[in-house]
């Protein structure tokens, strides 16, 4: 069927299956904001949009008098950017897709956009097509490629003029936003478009529905492409493909619609900060907990890193991503291609989450029980029920729990002053 440029028609499009199966992605926030590398990726806005005193004094201390934001671009060098190394890291992290910022609200494009003269990564800064190079490397590693794109640009004169007219004019959309979106799709054939920067104007201003109708009907990626829900003021959590709803969104109960939780390893920023400290970086336990909770509730988990201006993913981020990958090497069977089970979480405790694959149920527990006995009150066992622990050879003994559910005897863990890695998975076959 051809899709009409209205939400009723576009929202009826089935989500391509690869996205729900993938479950785990890596988000990359990279741009001119990686040069000051301070505060957050909203540096320009805090500094010159809000005239924040802390940002003003930071620039006075660090940069020559009269420095403008444009002066940062030549220092965005990407000297050490090795796309193949990134792709290998993301693959080892267990990611099935990667989403790169092609353009943040600052308007600088990480490819040679024909409508962003001299404010793009080919004309200035790295003098490289960052979007294209990463895409090639990811495809060699069989990873799906998503492109983050901000509809708006804080200080673009065309956008400011449209805003002044209360968005009755569309110069910015017709001359900048839409030409770039079409260019990205035709040039890079992305698997996913992660739209952002939509909140000031309605979707009718952005021409979102006509773009999506073209994307779903006639674009080179019409059958495989997935989009999110940020296509205009009031669209979020209501229209589009999968829902983001809000950054770091946690629904609490099982949503009816496919959704994604985007989170960042640096808990205070999406872009790289040179003054980031260890307590501000998510630890392994929190990361696994977010992943498990998200997937149990039917979501995908998109975990963000901010590379440096040279294109380095700092070692602490690499370490966290590799820890996630090791966990998924052992427990991925409970995550990839899984579905929410009839119960998502044990009522008796907040540390057991469930997923399922066909008739198989997985119980994921985040804390190891003191007595080595796992109490599950939701599964209904049968005489033929088999219980195994992922990553551990052999079956586990279990018995009916008085009342309901089951008691599972876990393997004995050696006593250690440090808790072992977080999160284990019990695989239950033959339960209801």
């Amino acid at each position: 069927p051809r899709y009409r440029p209205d939400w009723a028609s576009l929202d009826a499009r089935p989500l391509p299956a690869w996205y729900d199966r993938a479950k785990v992605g890596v988000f990359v926030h990279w741009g001119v904001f990686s040069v000051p590398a301070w505060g957050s990726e909203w540096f320009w806005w805090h500094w010159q949009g809000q005239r924040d005193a802390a940002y003003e004094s930071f620039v006075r201390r660090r940069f020559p008098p009269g420095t403008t934001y444009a002066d940062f671009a030549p220092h965005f060098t990407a000297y050490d950017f090795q796309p193949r190394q990134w792709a290998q890291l993301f693959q080892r992290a267990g990611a099935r897709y990667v989403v790169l910022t092609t353009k943040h609200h600052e308007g600088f494009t990480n490819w040679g956009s024909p409508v962003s003269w001299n404010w793009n990564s080919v004309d200035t800064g790295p003098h490289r097509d960052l979007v294209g190079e990463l895409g090639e490397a990811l495809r060699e590693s069989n990873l799906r490629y998503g492109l983050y794109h901000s509809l708006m640009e804080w200080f673009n004169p065309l956008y400011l003029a449209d805003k002044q007219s209360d968005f009755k004019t569309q110069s910015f959309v017709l001359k900048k936003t839409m030409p770039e979106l079409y260019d990205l799709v035709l040039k890079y054939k992305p698997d996913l478009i992660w739209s952002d920067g939509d909140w000031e104007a309605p979707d009718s201003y952005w021409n979102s529905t006509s773009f999506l109708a073209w994307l779903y009907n006639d674009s080179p990626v019409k059958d495989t492409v997935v989009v999110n829900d940020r296509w205009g003021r009031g669209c979020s959590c209501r229209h589009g493909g999968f829902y983001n709803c809000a950054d770091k969104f946690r629904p609490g109960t099982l949503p009816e619609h496919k959704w994604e939780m985007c989170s960042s390893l640096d808990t205070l920023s999406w872009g790289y900060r040179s003054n980031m400290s260890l307590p501000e970086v998510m630890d392994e336990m929190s990361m696994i907990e977010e992943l498990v909770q998200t997937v149990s509730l039917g979501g995908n988990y998109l975990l963000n890193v901010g590379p440096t201006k040279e294109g380095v993913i700092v070692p602490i981020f690499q370490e966290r991503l590799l820890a996630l990958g090791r966990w998924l090497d052992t427990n991925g069977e409970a995550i990839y291609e899984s579905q929410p089970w009839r119960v998502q979480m044990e009522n008796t405790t907040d540390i057991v989450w469930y997923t399922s694959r066909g008739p198989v149920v997985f119980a994921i527990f985040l804390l190891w029980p003191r007595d080595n006995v796992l109490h599950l009150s939701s599964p209904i066992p049968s005489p033929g029920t088999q219980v195994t622990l992922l990553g551990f050879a052999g079956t586990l003994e279990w018995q009916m729990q008085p009342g309901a559910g089951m008691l599972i005897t876990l393997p004995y863990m050696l006593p250690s002053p440090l808790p072992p890695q977080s999160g284990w998975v019990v695989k239950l076959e033959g339960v209801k």
Side-chain angles (χ1 to χ4, degrees):
R2 283 186 71 80
Y3 296 95
R4 298 185 312 275
D6 60 61
W7 288 120
S9 177
L10 297 168
D11 288 344
R13 176 184 184 249
L15 201 68
W18 74 262
Y19 178 77
D20 179 52
R21 291 183 185 141
K23 303 299 180 197
V24 186
V26 170
F27 211 175
V28 182
H29 273 72
W30 199 29
V32 173
F33 49 81
S34 312
V35 174
W38 191 82
S40 85
E41 68 291 346
W42 280 54
F43 186 94
W44 194 6
W45 179 253
H46 295 314
W47 172 32
Q48 292 188 316
Q50 294 180 318
R51 303 271 174 205
D52 183 307
Y55 285 77
E56 290 183 329
S57 98
F58 172 85
V59 175
R60 270 199 307 278
R61 283 197 320 276
R62 303 267 184 117
F63 298 97
T67 293
T68 65
Y69 193 77
D71 294 331
F72 294 146
H75 303 282
F76 178 44
T77 62
Y79 282 147
D80 299 311
F81 171 48
Q82 300 202 25
R84 281 207 173 98
Q85 280 186 3
W86 280 24
Q88 282 161 4
L89 172 66
F90 300 152
Q91 193 175 38
R92 289 177 65 195
R96 297 285 167 89
Y97 64 105
V98 175
V99 180
L100 173 72
T101 36
T102 64
K103 181 188 83 169
H104 202 258
H105 317 318
E106 62 185 18
F108 185 91
T109 69
N110 282 331
W111 85 102
S113 161
V115 290
S116 193
W117 181 78
N118 225 25
W119 192 234
N120 68 70
S121 67
V122 175
D123 291 344
T124 183
H127 298 288
R128 292 168 71 173
D129 174 4
L130 306 176
V131 175
E133 286 187 42
L134 183 60
E136 230 168 90
L138 292 172
R139 297 224 153 102
E140 280 173 19
S141 295
N142 280 323
L143 292 172
R144 298 268 182 175
Y145 194 23
L147 303 181
Y148 165 105
H149 173 269
S150 173
L151 296 169
M152 62 97 101
E153 296 172 20
W154 290 313
F155 300 110
N156 189 304
L158 295 174
Y159 181 67
L160 295 175
D162 285 351
K163 192 169 166 177
Q164 195 71 47
S165 80
D166 202 22
F167 301 112
K168 302 283 187 286
T169 57
Q170 286 181 299
S171 307
F172 175 71
V173 177
L174 300 175
K175 292 179 180 158
K176 189 72 165 68
T177 300
M178 280 304 153
E180 284 184 342
L181 272 172
Y182 284 93
D183 190 48
L184 284 169
V185 172
L186 294 170
K187 206 174 267 171
Y188 303 110
K189 303 180 178 51
D191 298 294
L192 188 156
I193 296 176
W194 212 102
S195 182
D196 196 14
D198 61 318
W199 59 84
E200 292 187 337
D203 63 83
S204 52
Y205 166 73
W206 295 116
N207 290 349
S208 299
T209 53
S210 53
F211 168 71
L212 292 172
W214 169 79
L215 188 68
Y216 295 170
N217 290 325
D218 301 308
S219 81
V221 288
K222 61 184 169 55
D223 300 323
T224 49
V225 75
V226 169
V227 304
N228 67 342
D229 56 353
R230 299 184 184 184
W231 295 99
R233 191 175 59 221
C235 284
S236 184
C237 233
R238 291 179 51 212
H239 296 302
F242 63 88
Y243 292 170
N244 285 112
C245 300
D247 291 350
K248 306 189 183 181
F249 176 64
R250 289 183 173 215
T253 56
L254 182 65
E256 288 179 7
H257 194 93
K258 181 65 194 180
W259 63 287
E260 176 184 76
M261 194 254 206
C262 59
S263 189
S264 186
L265 281 175
D266 176 354
T267 55
L268 300 184
S269 175
W270 300 83
Y272 175 69
R273 296 182 304 133
S274 62
N275 61 336
M276 174 181 72
S277 68
L278 194 57
E280 294 162 348
V281 181
M282 214 192 298
D283 61 27
E284 189 179 334
M285 173 104 179
S286 320
M287 190 171 62
I288 287 164
E289 190 172 350
E290 276 190 352
L291 165 72
V292 167
Q293 189 174 343
T294 299
V295 173
S296 291
L297 293 172
N300 275 21
Y301 187 52
L302 184 65
L303 184 60
N304 175 74
V305 293
T308 69
K309 63 183 193 285
E310 295 84 11
V312 172
I313 295 171
V314 290
I316 189 65
F317 289 164
Q318 296 186 36
E319 193 274 335
R320 293 291 190 269
L321 289 176
L322 293 172
L324 180 64
R326 280 193 303 276
W327 190 87
L328 284 163
D329 282 345
T330 303
N331 302 298
E333 193 185 340
I335 300 293
Y336 302 118
E337 304 185 16
S338 68
Q339 295 294 314
W341 191 45
R342 63 175 171 82
V343 175
Q344 288 80 59
M345 180 188 138
E346 279 293 0
N347 292 330
T348 47
T349 155
D350 59 354
I351 51 165
V352 181
W353 294 86
Y354 290 101
T355 60
S356 66
R357 279 176 78 161
V360 179
V361 176
F362 300 95
I364 309 169
F365 55 106
L366 299 169
L367 291 176
W368 191 269
R370 293 228 152 164
D371 55 359
N372 281 354
V373 176
L374 181 65
H375 301 241
L376 300 179
S377 55
S378 301
I380 304 164
S382 61
T385 295
Q386 271 218 328
V387 181
T388 47
L389 182 70
L390 296 188
F392 183 82
T395 56
L396 303 184
E397 290 185 10
W398 64 272
Q399 58 193 86
M400 301 281 280
Q401 188 171 326
M406 38 200 313
L407 298 172
I408 297 166
T409 307
L410 297 168
Y412 179 67
M413 299 288 269
L414 288 172
S416 149
L418 293 171
Q421 67 162 78
S422 37
W424 300 263
V425 180
V426 168
K427 179 178 179 178
L428 307 168
E429 296 173 87
V431 297
K432 283 193 178 134

